[in-house]
Amino acid sequence: MSKLDTVSGTEVTQEKLKSFQKGKTTRQEVIAALGHPPQKSEVLGNEVWTYPFTRITAMPTSPNVSESTVFEFDKKGVLLKAYKTGGTPGKSGNPMLDAAGM
């Protein structure tokens, strides 16, 4: 990563993602580790949190990153699933990146 890279959102590494345990980790533990989620929704009675992350590299040989880390919680606030998805174009929170469709 270069100091010239443009970064937006919350980066959740694979190591950090593995530290959250299905059936044990609570919403409060995720907030303590990552901060409050910028996106929340409800699907089939479960709470879904999404942490988007975008990195546009300054070096043309380095790949750009656009991904979201998703956490699904049951009604008691216990983790059901945590996984990564492709990013959501236009939803980075950075107006310049959103305008570029990143």
Side-chain angles (χ1 to χ4, degrees), residues 3-15:
K3 290 182 181 182
L4 300 175
D5 291 354
T6 302
V7 176
S8 177
T10 303
E11 183 175 20
V12 181
T13 63
Q14 286 296 334
E15 293 78 27

Side-chain angles (χ1 to χ4, degrees), residues 32-44:
L34 303 176
H36 288 276
Q39 299 171 1
K40 289 183 181 181
S41 59
E42 186 178 315
V43 177
L44 300 173

Side-chain angles (χ1 to χ4, degrees), residues 1 4-12 38-39 51-57 65-69 87-88 90-98 102:
M1 189 162 118
L4 300 175
D5 291 354
T6 302
V7 176
S8 177
T10 303
E11 183 175 20
V12 181
Q39 299 171 1
Y51 291 84
F53 175 72
T54 303
R55 179 187 305 122
I56 299 175
T57 60
V65 176
S66 181
E67 65 184 19
S68 293
T69 305
T88 307
K91 299 290 184 186
S92 72
N94 179 316
M96 294 297 286
L97 296 176
D98 292 349
M102 301 298 288

Side-chain angles (χ1 to χ4, degrees), residues 17-80:
L17 187 61
K18 290 177 185 176
S19 72
F20 301 111
Q21 297 180 7
K22 177 180 160 183
K24 292 186 179 185
T25 300
T26 65
R27 288 186 291 230
Q28 287 305 97
E29 291 170 319
V30 173
I31 289 171
L34 303 176
H36 288 276
Q39 299 171 1
K40 289 183 181 181
S41 59
E42 186 178 315
V43 177
L44 300 173
N46 295 324
E47 194 166 352
V48 179
W49 292 3
T50 305
Y51 291 84
F53 175 72
T54 303
R55 179 187 305 122
I56 299 175
T57 60
M59 301 301 294
T61 57
S62 299
N64 294 329
V65 176
S66 181
E67 65 184 19
S68 293
T69 305
V70 179
F71 296 87
E72 296 182 22
F73 299 94
D74 65 16
K75 291 178 173 109
K76 295 179 183 178
V78 177
L79 185 65
L80 293 170

